[in-house]
Amino acid sequence: MSYTAWIILTASLVGLSCGLVGVFLILRRMAMMADAISHTVLLGIVTAYLVTRELHGIHMLIGAVIAGLVTALLVQWFHQLGVQQDASIGVVFTTLFAIGVILISTSVGNVHLDVQHALMGEITFVPWNRIDLPLLGEIPEAAFLLMIVLLIVLISILAFYKGWKITSFDPALAVSLGIPAAAMHYLFMGLVSVTAVASFDAVGAILVVAMLVTPAASAYLWTDRLIVMLALSGGFGVASAVIGYVIAVWLDTSISASMAFATGILFVISFLFSPLHGLASKYMRGKSSRALPKNSV
Amino acid sequence: MTSHVLQVENVAASYRKNTVLQNVSFQVKPGTLTAIVGPNGAGKSTLLKTLLDLHPKLSGHVQFFGSSYQKMKRKVGYVPQRGSVDWDFPADALDVVMMGLYGQIGWLRWPSRRHRELALEALDKMGMADYSKRQISQLSGGQQQRVFLARALVQNADLYFMDEPLAGVDAATERAIMRILNELKQSGKTVLVVHHDLQTVEDYFDHVLLLNGTVIDHGETKQAFTQENIARTYGGALQWMKGEAFYAHPARK
């Protein structure tokens, strides 16, 4: 496969995985947690490197999951002790991220791991770093990692669709039905961590938030069905990847930034023109729909 | 002893740093319809949540059907306040009712046709069959409440806790809900309802629990729902109740 094809495939895998995971982030009102986890996985990666002295897929995934869960646990813990949720998120992730940055510069030294790379990603280098696999042949390591993560995402959503749906909509009912809401929460945080770390190489910690949040926020405007929202969000993620690549080539600029920019464009289009919840259609429906206020009788 | 479906002994609970419930003790007989009434902040919702382990209890014992809640979970249904969920969630009425079956469907399995039929049947019972495919934010408050009731019905529990099911609903919904509550009672099930409209307590409920931090009185409505007990429960808030505004405690939104 050509250099361009690998980049577009890698970017699309990021868009698809992030788009699917993002749906539940939006519905659980946890967009900020995506921001937090996407940063703290850096600490996970650094720690995994310090322990194993290797920078390969599986170590990174495990390190990221642990870091993500520690973040989620600490946020929850501070919140229960009376710190406001958003303050708790802000304190926890910046501190853990800072530790990661300090560790990189003091203990890691001269490895393929620097702050710039972690924050912004460098998808243009992805095709150079290849591994040889049976069946698949020689493919970029980042693409392979993303394929595995996409598989994990798909299996998790199939397996825990009901659990995440009910704990997002009505956690009290879920608990009273014997569905463990806390376990579902941490399982999901683990999934966000895995997705974030796999997308790291390609788009970096900052822009992975755009891929996680924006396609899902756009999809939310187009449909009232969860299953359709998942499909749309994944589709928007892939579309953003492709459109982003085109923009990057056209303007000769950063691919990851262009991808994030593309998610923004799709969101604005959705926000204005979605037939269901778009601004234009709300305006067209005008006062007739306002005459029936939602929650009154 | 075992003839009670619910036994509550000396339960206490706090919210943040304030003690909301203290020395709460009462027993509920099967086949009864109990109104839980009390002023704002009396701990009515907290009481339900504490009994159902959704809120930590500081002390006390609770027994369901002579056993622990964890063992009897399947036999207990809960209808939270309508305002406690996000009605913009991408789901239709049928989806929400199906959620009542998620505990029975089990892990890794998707709802079957039989589950769909059960859910549709419950919606039909609440007069909502025509709205099964309607997005939940497009339903009126009363219709949303009926969807919640339908969801409780599919659980097929023996003991139900309902948090203000009659708050802010239209007259038709109120009639539909009361018809269902009476049907549940006829079939030997037990229902505890947090209720805010003191005027209808005598008509709707055979038992009443007057709550204000602790149990002021509890028993058959005829005996317990006296002017004196109401005054003790509501304190000063009672003064303006005498007029047409008997609506002592509007539901919090």
Side-chain angles (χ1 to χ4, degrees):
Chain A
M1 239 160 66
S2 75
Y3 176 84
T4 307
W6 278 124
I7 288 187
I8 293 181
L9 180 73
T10 307
S12 302
L13 285 168
V14 170
L16 188 53
S17 301
C18 288
L20 292 172
V21 170
V23 166
F24 291 102
L25 268 175
I26 293 283
L27 293 178
R28 301 169 82 84
R29 296 166 189 261
M30 284 181 177
M32 273 300 286
M33 276 308 287
D35 196 16
I37 285 179
S38 68
H39 281 78
T40 52
V41 291
L42 179 75
L43 177 61
I45 294 172
V46 178
T47 314
Y49 174 76
L50 291 177
V51 173
T52 64
R53 289 285 156 188
E54 273 185 84
L55 252 188
H56 286 293
I58 190 70
H59 306 112
M60 280 172 45
L61 281 187
I62 293 171
V65 169
I66 294 172
L69 291 181
V70 167
T71 312
L73 280 165
L74 284 177
V75 166
Q76 198 59 31
W77 187 61
F78 280 120
H79 181 51
Q80 268 163 13
L81 291 178
V83 181
Q84 286 181 9
Q85 181 93 20
D86 48 354
S88 172
I89 292 175
V91 168
V92 169
F93 96 77
T94 47
T95 308
L96 294 182
F97 180 69
I99 297 173
V101 170
I102 292 173
L103 281 179
I104 286 186
S105 51
T106 56
S107 316
V108 175
N110 211 6
V111 197
H112 167 67
L113 187 67
D114 60 72
V115 176
Q116 178 74 11
H117 181 104
L119 285 178
M120 302 301 293
E122 205 35 272
I123 199 166
T124 42
F125 294 156
V126 159
W128 305 124
N129 186 15
R130 297 196 183 207
I131 47 170
D132 208 2
L133 291 168
L135 290 174
L136 290 168
E138 204 177 66
I139 68 168
E141 192 183 351
F144 176 63
L145 193 62
L146 278 161
M147 286 175 196
I148 292 177
V149 165
L150 177 62
L151 204 66
I152 295 174
V153 168
L154 287 173
I155 291 172
S156 308
I157 289 179
L158 274 176
F160 303 114
Y161 181 82
K162 293 200 311 293
W164 283 333
K165 182 173 177 180
I166 192 171
T167 52
S168 302
F169 177 66
D170 194 345
L173 176 83
V175 172
S176 78
L177 288 175
I179 293 164
M184 293 273 80
H185 171 68
Y186 290 115
L187 210 61
F188 181 62
M189 290 294 112
L191 191 67
V192 173
S193 314
V194 172
T195 313
V197 74
S199 312
F200 224 75
D201 239 5
V203 295
I206 295 179
L207 296 176
V208 74
V209 184
M211 301 308 287
L212 280 167
V213 173
T214 323
S218 308
Y220 184 74
L221 295 167
W222 288 88
T223 179
D224 283 333
R225 297 190 52 79
L226 180 52
I227 225 102
V228 180
M229 186 176 166
L230 280 163
L232 277 177
S233 182
F236 286 159
V238 173
S240 306
V242 177
I243 297 170
Y245 182 78
V246 173
I247 295 176
V249 170
W250 175 41
L251 295 176
D252 191 20
T253 181
S254 150
I255 297 173
S256 45
S258 304
M259 280 168 62
F261 179 58
T263 63
I265 296 175
L266 286 180
F267 178 79
V268 171
I269 293 173
S270 309
F271 184 73
L272 292 176
F273 303 115
S274 153
L276 199 62
H277 299 297
L279 214 56
S281 74
K282 268 185 201 158
Y283 183 76
M284 300 278 269
R285 267 178 261 148
K287 284 177 187 142
S288 63
S289 65
R290 295 277 162 79
L292 288 165
K294 257 187 195 172
N295 285 320
S296 69
V297 184
Chain B
M1 280 288 274
T2 44
S3 67
H4 293 122
V5 290
L6 175 67
Q7 286 198 17
V8 182
E9 271 171 55
N10 274 321
V11 163
S14 66
Y15 202 79
R16 293 195 177 250
K17 277 169 190 138
N18 306 316
T19 303
V20 184
L21 295 170
Q22 245 177 341
N23 294 326
V24 175
S25 302
F26 61 95
Q27 287 131 17
V28 179
K29 286 186 211 130
T32 54
L33 207 51
T34 305
I36 301 173
V37 298
N40 250 331
K44 303 185 294 295
S45 295
T46 309
L47 174 62
L48 295 200
K49 287 183 187 153
T50 308
L51 297 180
L52 298 175
D53 283 353
L54 295 167
H55 187 90
K57 60 173 170 287
L58 298 176
S59 63
H61 288 283
V62 184
Q63 282 207 315
F64 291 80
F65 306 97
S67 181
S68 75
Y69 174 58
Q70 292 305 325
K71 283 187 191 145
M72 291 293 148
K73 237 172 190 177
R74 279 284 167 79
K75 299 174 87 174
V76 181
Y78 174 48
V79 181
Q81 273 185 34
R82 184 160 51 86
S84 69
V85 304
D86 170 20
W87 290 95
D88 284 326
F89 194 87
D92 58 30
L94 188 64
D95 280 334
V96 174
V97 178
M98 298 267 265
M99 286 182 194
L101 294 163
Y102 278 11
Q104 301 166 33
I105 295 173
W107 294 104
L108 310 180
R109 310 228 340 252
W110 287 67
S112 68
R113 176 167 302 176
R114 189 178 61 85
H115 294 123
R116 272 178 64 89
E117 277 160 10
L118 282 172
L120 279 170
E121 210 174 283
L123 273 173
D124 193 35
K125 250 190 177 164
M126 295 308 304
M128 289 289 292
D130 295 340
Y131 297 91
S132 67
K133 285 283 146 202
R134 183 76 68 91
Q135 152 68 17
I136 51 177
S137 68
Q138 310 289 322
L139 300 170
S140 74
Q143 290 168 332
Q144 290 173 343
Q145 194 64 61
R146 288 197 230 180
V147 170
F148 260 23
L149 257 287
R151 188 177 72 175
L153 289 180
V154 293
Q155 286 183 47
N156 199 19
D158 291 323
L159 169 62
Y160 283 105
F161 294 89
M162 304 187 181
D163 202 343
E164 306 244 14
L166 298 173
V169 302
D170 53 298
T173 299
E174 185 158 332
R175 278 196 301 277
I177 291 176
M178 285 319 300
R179 197 188 66 238
I180 293 298
L181 292 192
N182 280 310
E183 270 178 33
L184 289 172
K185 180 185 153 183
Q186 298 304 322
S187 56
K189 308 203 168 195
T190 314
V191 189
L192 280 86
V193 179
V194 171
H195 193 55
H196 61 277
D197 183 2
L198 295 179
Q199 249 179 345
T200 51
V201 170
E202 282 165 307
D203 296 336
Y204 288 171
F205 299 96
D206 54 27
H207 282 69
V208 68
L209 179 101
L210 296 122
L211 188 78
N212 192 353
T214 188
V215 178
I216 306 292
D217 202 358
H218 171 230
E220 288 187 29
T221 311
K222 275 172 282 177
Q223 275 126 48
F225 199 62
T226 59
Q227 282 298 333
E228 194 202 334
N229 274 339
I230 298 170
R232 277 170 60 207
T233 311
Y234 283 85
L238 190 70
Q239 285 147 6
W240 48 271
M241 265 173 41
K242 278 283 161 189
E244 64 263 31
F246 208 60
Y247 195 75
H249 162 229
R252 241 178 308 168
K253 272 285 102 67

